Amino acid sequence: MLKNISVTLDVEDLRPSDNFEDRSKMMTEKVLDLFAEVEVRATIFVVGDVARRHPEVIKKAVQAGHEIGLHSHKHIPLQLLNPDDFERELNEAKRSLEDISGQPVNGYRAPTMSLTHKTRWAIPIMQRTGFTYSSSVLPAKNPLYGWNGLPKQPFKWLDSVIEFPCPVTNILGFNIPYLGGAYFRLFPPIIRKTGIRKSSSKEVLWTYCHPWEFDPKEKYYQLEDVGNLTSRIAWLGRKGMENKMRNFLQEASSQSLGDIASKIDQSQLQIVDPESPN
Ligand SMILES: [Zn+2]
C-alpha cells in the first residue's frame, strides 16, 4: 500500500567556479513546472547564495504555493564551519530568504545531511535563530555522515527544534536513504516500494531531489569535497529522472514539512538530548 510522502527539493549550485554555466535557475524552474503539472506542493530548501542571485525563482515557487526553507548560506557542510560563523550566516541567510520570499522560513536542512554527533553544536543555534524544524540527519550508520541510534520518526531535540530524520531502509545490511538523490535516481523502484512498505506509520516519509538531477545536458565537473566516483555518479541517470519523478509524484502528499511541523502534537514527540552518548 502506498503512503503519503512529502516532497522536498534542495536548490543549490555545486559548480566549482563560474567557468561552468550556471543552470540552477533554469533547472529549478523546470522542476517547479513538473510539480505544477502533477499538482504537488513541496518544501523548497534553498541555498541563501542561490536565492540572492535568482530571487525570481523563489518568487515563482511562493506563487505556486510551496513552502520555502533554508539549505544553508553557501552549502558548506557543518563540520567545516565554526559555531560563530554558522550562527551569523544562518541569521543573515534566513532574513534574506524571508525578504525575498515574503514568508517566514521555519525549516532548515543542513548540506549533505551533515548534522551529526560531531556537529551537534548547530542544534541550539537553529533554535536561537528562529527555526522551528530541521531535516538534517541520517539516523543510521553511514560512511560519510549519519547519526546512529536516532529515532526514525520525527522527534524533538532537547530545548530545540523538531527534527524530521531522513527516511532510511535496511537493504542487505546497509541503511540507505532510499527515497531521494542517487538512490532514487539509480536504484530500481522495487527498493523504494519495499522501503515504504517496511516503514512504520510513525515515520514522516519525504523524498529529496535536486534541480541538477534533472539535467542530462550539464557539462561534467568534479564536485568539491567528494571522490571522483561519487562525482561521476552525480551525472548518472539524469535523463530518466523527470519521468521517474513524474510517476513517483502520483503517490506524493501535498503536505509540506512545515505543514506537518505546525500540526504535530509536540507533547507526543520523543525528546533527544544531543549530548547523550552516540
Ligand atoms: Zn544540498
Side-chain angles (χ1 to χ4, degrees):
M1 202 187 85
L2 300 172
K3 297 185 184 179
N4 281 340
I5 295 167
S6 290
V7 178
T8 72
L9 175 72
D10 296 352
V11 175
E12 57 200 22
D13 175 10
L14 303 179
R15 293 172 306 145
S17 77
D18 284 334
N19 294 336
F20 296 88
E21 184 190 355
D22 180 2
R23 298 170 67 86
S24 60
K25 173 177 182 281
M26 176 183 67
M27 292 314 302
T28 305
E29 285 177 338
K30 191 176 168 177
V31 180
L32 291 176
D33 288 345
L34 173 63
F35 289 171
E37 179 195 322
V38 293
E39 298 180 350
V40 147
R41 182 166 174 269
T43 303
I44 318 286
F45 290 103
V46 193
V47 171
D49 229 25
V50 179
R52 274 189 291 275
R53 254 186 294 131
H54 303 299
E56 61 282 13
V57 184
I58 312 308
K59 293 190 168 93
K60 180 175 169 162
V62 171
Q63 272 164 14
H66 300 299
E67 179 198 5
I68 305 296
L70 183 66
H71 188 37
S72 81
H73 171 50
K74 284 192 169 180
H75 209 264
I76 299 170
L78 291 174
Q79 74 277 11
L80 299 179
L81 296 169
N82 71 55
D84 289 343
D85 289 343
F86 175 68
E87 180 153 4
R88 186 174 36 77
E89 290 180 0
L90 204 61
N91 253 318
E92 284 172 16
K94 183 176 191 288
R95 286 210 192 103
S96 160
L97 196 51
E98 286 175 341
D99 283 348
I100 293 167
S101 66
Q103 59 170 241
V105 169
N106 297 320
Y108 172 74
R109 171 167 293 164
T112 59
M113 301 289 153
S114 57
L115 181 58
T116 66
H117 195 250
K118 275 188 191 146
T119 56
R120 62 190 183 278
W121 48 260
I123 294 166
I125 296 175
M126 289 192 275
Q127 204 264 343
R128 277 208 295 278
T129 44
F131 288 91
T132 58
Y133 78 90
S134 153
S135 164
S136 305
V137 293
L138 190 68
K141 228 182 212 159
N142 187 277
L144 274 180
Y145 299 102
W147 191 330
N148 201 20
L150 287 180
K152 289 170 89 177
Q153 67 267 25
F155 61 88
K156 198 164 163 24
W157 293 112
L158 180 65
D159 298 327
S160 188
V161 300
I162 299 168
E163 181 71 42
F164 291 106
C166 184
V168 290
T169 198
N170 193 291
I171 292 166
L172 303 173
F174 294 96
N175 284 300
I176 60 165
Y178 65 109
L179 279 181
Y183 305 94
F184 178 92
R185 213 168 64 244
L186 301 174
F187 282 21
I190 185 72
I191 301 281
R192 201 164 62 236
K193 286 177 183 157
T194 308
I196 293 170
R197 188 164 37 78
K198 281 178 10 193
S199 66
S200 129
S201 59
K202 289 182 180 165
E203 288 180 48
V204 166
L205 298 181
W206 45 268
T207 179
Y208 60 99
C209 55
H210 310 84
W212 51 262
E213 291 187 273
F214 295 79
D215 187 5
K217 292 187 178 150
E218 187 178 34
K219 208 173 153 215
Y220 179 77
Y221 47 80
Q222 169 73 41
L223 294 174
E224 288 173 329
D225 306 322
V226 299
N228 192 38
L229 179 66
T230 307
S231 187
R232 290 275 166 197
I233 287 172
W235 264 261
L236 297 179
R238 291 186 177 193
K239 210 170 170 189
M241 181 64 175
E242 185 179 339
N243 268 335
K244 212 169 182 182
M245 186 54 82
R246 179 180 284 111
N247 291 334
F248 177 65
L249 290 178
Q250 315 297 334
E251 309 164 12
S253 138
S254 265
Q255 283 214 93
S256 68
L257 292 183
D259 291 338
I260 299 171
S262 66
K263 287 181 209 149
I264 213 161
D265 180 357
Q266 294 202 27
S267 68
Q268 297 298 311
L269 294 180
Q270 184 178 338
I271 291 173
V272 175
D273 181 352
E275 295 303 327
S276 60
N278 180 227

